[in-house]
């Protein structure tokens, strides 16, 4: 059976990505990261999702990106911004890369997934990046993924021996509503997921950060009730 490493954050997108990989016939191996983020509710969610969706194996790797800082998600001196929903509704998201961007995060995560995939002799890596509702993160763009895949197939023993690896981004061109509808069709229980940048220890969302806003809008546009528990 073909194998895939699925990057699983515990959020809405990565959970949908896992469901798609499973639906495509892959034996799925989950990979999550304790990278120094300010809360661990999303990691607890990743464990719940992995169990519910039948991962073959699920690894959580510790990488302390707090050593670099520079992001509101890892640096205690930078607050996670509150979203002005009315302003976004009128003029759209603020231009530029937000302070919630974590420098080199997806590059690091994909590099670790590449090593895991090579050991497993997996043919694919799935990552839930999205270029529509991607918050301006440069490492969620298709150009980045294509460049990384090219590098991956130059850097591994498996590729040199003729076993090429592909990186799958099934959500990259979908809106949040389209992602939710596809996940629902594949049986994803979104009540198990945590997307919030400021979730509490019980996994309850703040309802005020940009991630919460995108999630709320996604369910609204999909015409579905939002199952998220809020503080």
């Amino acid at each position: 059976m073909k194998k895939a490493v699925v990057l699983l954050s515990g959020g809405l997108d990565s959970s949908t990505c896992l469901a798609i990989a499973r639906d495509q016939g892959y034996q799925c191996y989950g990979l999550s990261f304790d990278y120094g983020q300010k809360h661990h509710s999303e990691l607890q969610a990743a464990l719940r999702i992995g169990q519910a969706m039948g991962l073959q194996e699920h690894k959580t790797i510790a990488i302390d990106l707090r050593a670099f800082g520079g992001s509101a998600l890892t640096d205690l001196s930078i607050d996670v911004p509150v979203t002005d929903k009315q302003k976004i509704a009128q003029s759209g998201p603020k231009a530029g890369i937000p302070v919630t961007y974590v420098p080199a995060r997806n590059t690091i995560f994909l590099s670790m997934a590449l090593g895991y995939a090579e050991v497993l002799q997996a043919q694919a890596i799935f990552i839930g990046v999205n270029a529509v509702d991607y918050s301006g993160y440069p490492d969620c763009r298709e150009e980045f993924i294509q460049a990384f895949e090219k590098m991956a197939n130059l850097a591994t023993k498996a590729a040199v021996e003729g076993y090429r690896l592909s990186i799958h981004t099934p959500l990259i061109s979908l809106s949040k509503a389209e992602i939710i509808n596809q996940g629902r069709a594949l049986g994803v229980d979104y009540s198990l997921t945590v997307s919030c940048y400021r979730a509490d220890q019980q996994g309850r969302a703040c309802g005020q950060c940009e991630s919460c806003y995108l999630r709320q809008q996604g369910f609204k546009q999909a015409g579905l009730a939002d199952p998220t528990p809020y503080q």
Side-chain angles (χ1 to χ4, degrees):
M1 190 175 185
K2 57 185 181 178
K3 299 177 182 178
V5 173
V6 181
L7 290 169
L8 187 61
S9 70
L12 184 153
D13 292 344
S14 68
S15 300
T16 306
C17 201
L18 171 56
I20 291 170
R22 189 178 64 171
D23 185 63
Q24 291 181 5
Y26 284 93
Q27 197 175 61
C28 295
Y29 294 76
L31 188 59
S32 303
F33 293 93
D34 183 352
Y35 61 90
Q37 60 268 56
K38 291 179 179 177
H39 68 78
H40 287 86
S41 297
E42 61 182 8
L43 289 175
Q44 295 165 7
L47 290 173
R48 293 194 299 267
I49 294 155
Q51 291 170 358
M53 300 183 71
L55 286 174
Q56 296 297 312
E57 186 175 64
H58 188 184
K59 292 184 179 292
T60 299
I61 307 296
I63 305 173
D64 194 355
L65 297 183
R66 291 175 299 182
F68 304 139
S71 168
L73 300 191
T74 59
D75 193 325
L76 295 177
S77 69
I78 305 173
D79 292 331
V80 174
V82 172
T83 299
D84 187 334
K85 298 179 183 180
Q86 186 175 1
K87 188 174 181 180
I88 289 180
Q90 292 173 348
S91 57
K94 184 179 178 181
I97 299 171
V99 295
T100 50
Y101 163 67
V102 181
R105 181 175 61 178
N106 281 349
T107 304
I108 294 168
F109 288 1
L110 282 169
S111 296
M112 299 294 283
L114 176 59
Y116 189 25
E118 187 168 22
V119 171
L120 290 170
Q121 297 182 322
Q123 299 88 350
I125 295 171
F126 279 74
I127 181 171
V129 293
N130 179 257
V132 177
D133 292 330
Y134 82 123
S135 300
Y137 298 161
D139 56 0
C140 289
R141 295 175 298 168
E142 190 169 1
E143 302 95 308
F144 165 72
I145 298 297
Q146 291 172 347
F148 193 96
E149 182 180 275
K150 182 177 180 180
M151 182 278 297
N153 283 302
L154 291 171
T156 58
K157 174 178 177 286
V160 169
E161 293 177 347
Y163 301 98
R164 291 182 61 82
L165 178 92
S166 57
I167 300 179
H168 295 250
T169 58
L171 313 183
I172 200 158
S173 61
L174 301 182
S175 69
K176 194 67 73 178
E178 289 170 331
I179 292 168
I180 291 168
N181 281 325
Q182 187 161 354
R184 281 290 298 271
L186 294 174
V188 177
D189 181 356
Y190 288 119
S191 70
L192 300 178
T193 66
V194 174
S195 301
C196 178
Y197 293 148
R198 304 164 68 220
D200 65 15
Q201 294 304 311
Q202 288 75 47
R204 296 176 299 181
C206 73
Q208 297 178 319
C209 67
E210 183 179 36
S211 188
C212 280
Y213 173 78
L214 291 173
R215 183 177 172 118
Q216 289 167 344
Q217 289 298 110
F219 279 105
K220 182 178 179 180
Q221 291 165 9
L224 297 169
D226 181 359
T228 308
Y230 289 99
Q231 297 170 28

